[in-house]
Amino acid sequence: MARTANVATSCSPACGGNRNRVLKNDLDIVKFVTHVHRLHPTNFTSRLRVVQQLILGLVLAAASTSSLAQQSIHRYASLYHPAQSQHGMVVSQRHCASKIGAGVLSDGGNAIDAAVAVGFALAVNLPRAGNLGGGGFLLFYDKATGKTHSLDFRETAPAAASADMFLTSDGEIDSEKYRSSHLSVAVPGTVAGLLDAHRKYGRLPLKRLLAPAVQLAKQGVEVSHDFSSAVSSRTKMLTRHAGTRKKFFGDDGEAPVPGTLFKQPELASTIQQIADNGSEGFYQGKTADLIVAEMARGGGLITHADLEAYKPLWRDPVVGQYRGSRVVAMPPPSSGGVHVIQMLNILDQFPLADMGHNSANSLHLLAESMKIAYADRTVHLGDPDFYDVPQEWLTSKAYGKTSAKAISMNVARRAEDIAPGTPPHPESVDTTHFSVVDADGNAVAVTYTLNFSFGSGITVPGAGFLLNNEMTDFTPKAGAADAFGLITGSANEVAPLKRPLSAMTPAMVFKDGELMLVTGSPGGSRIINVVLQNIVNMIDFGMNVAEATNAPRVHHQWQPDKLNVERGISPDTLEILTSRGHVVTQSASLGSVQAISRQAGVLYGSADPRRPGAGAAPVVRKVGDSR
């Protein structure tokens, strides 16, 4: 029978030891005794005494460090195992981009530096979601101060935008204008946001951080089957505009072939201008001229004045408590942070762990909590600079308790019977997310997007990047569903310079004041619930970050009144949920979590397998270590 004595050795480096090594089984113990035998080859008694003394001392020491020993080993009972490092970790939707970020950390950069490098690399090798022409949110945990900062670089409506700009003369929604015209393009925020984060907290020169993206764009990215398929399946959309047709189909009109190189010389030039001139290299000068010219050609609204006026905004993050852990996430205009905390406050009233992971009872509670949160989202969420969001009330423990009392464990409430709460008086599935933690414990979570896959489908000729269609995240008219089926009201109507409501939810979790989890996901309207389940899986069900990321998920957004479930949930469980009144529908994969957990000084990275190409890149050595 294999022994599992978790004894951490403290052999000196001169003996080839490792202070963090763990004796996990018979083989390790045999190796250890052999090592002692080499130290004392002539006397068995001496050898035995040394072994006894060392093991006794180590067992006593382990009493005070048992958590490190327990948490830093891989458990072979687990089905999924994360990447591991003590020197830094980057996890993103493209393994190549993750490795670029890890290289920045190895070269002495911090988490912000790595995030900037990854963000621009994804603009090259994940063009359907990574972007220069979109926007998003960034969370930054500064270990030195213990503070978490949130950066809103969401796109803004042009100054000429109006509430009825997507309506026909008879007041109906013009779907073509709303979803894929030049009018659907909002003022991009990605470049300004990443560069502002670098200006404030970065360490390495900007040119160093953007050089890998420039090189990737020039030399070409190897075309994967996933990328080729994504382009081919959207041929009609991507061939409507000359710039996009040229970028993706070339002179021969053929989609990129797997195994060939996809080169983007115009994009390389645009990124180089940003590297040389900072934000002015995008919001002014040649690139700005090209954007405005394309707007004029297609009847869009963005002007030079709109581009020059764009500013990212640092906001206070939204904070909650869940079973002794502190949850920090993006505030509005992200709806994700508010509603994740709202749902956690509801779930906090129930013994979720005792119910078992993905049991009928636990999934029923998740679904009922989701309905309540998404109902509130229809009325209470919008750009806080234009609408007074009742954030404190929505995230209060008191409202969570009140909401929990309305849940029956035996019957699912119909969506039509759930109304948004009344406060007391006085996002496309091809968003992308990445997470970074550096050796000093600083952390960054970034979710950014073009909205739909490939955004508006409009490429800026001469600049080589796609433009967003983020105006579709505004409600085209109060009470109507947006492009993801989400209903919002006047709080999210179009207005000049306003930022559309978003479901993007970069989040962090802290335990006993220490960083425990950095997480986020793409997935449009589903993002909020995907992040919720990632947190619950770790806190309530004790999963490692890879297990929490791989586990089957569910999604309910109030309207339409359907519980979407991934494959992998027991048919018996689904039958019970149906008997309680849930309208269960099989779903495609929900989200793509890119997460990092930190336990006892060890980083664990997990890239969601739901989408091809994602990868975790551990930093394998400390800065300056030449070994």
Side-chain angles (χ1 to χ4, degrees), residues 508-531:
M508 298 182 185
V509 179
F510 298 83
K511 180 71 173 177
D512 299 325
E514 294 295 325
L515 181 69
M516 170 187 162
L517 176 67
V518 183
T519 188
S521 174
S525 62
R526 302 167 173 182
I527 293 173
I528 304 169
N529 291 335
V530 169
V531 172

Side-chain angles (χ1 to χ4, degrees), residues 34-79:
T34 302
H35 171 68
V36 175
H37 173 74
R38 286 197 297 267
L39 295 178
H40 301 270
T42 59
N43 188 297
F44 175 81
T45 302
S46 297
R47 293 199 304 270
L48 181 61
R49 186 178 296 114
V50 170
V51 170
Q52 289 173 330
Q53 290 174 344
L54 282 172
I55 291 180
L56 177 61
L58 294 169
V59 169
L60 292 174
S64 62
T65 60
S66 60
S67 62
L68 171 61
Q70 291 288 338
Q71 293 170 348
S72 63
I73 64 171
H74 287 291
R75 302 185 186 284
Y76 293 100
S78 301
L79 294 177

Side-chain angles (χ1 to χ4, degrees), residues 129-147:
N131 67 85
L132 303 185
F137 301 121
L138 178 151
L139 273 184
F140 170 54
Y141 170 59
D142 185 349
K143 175 67 173 177
T145 64
K147 294 182 179 180

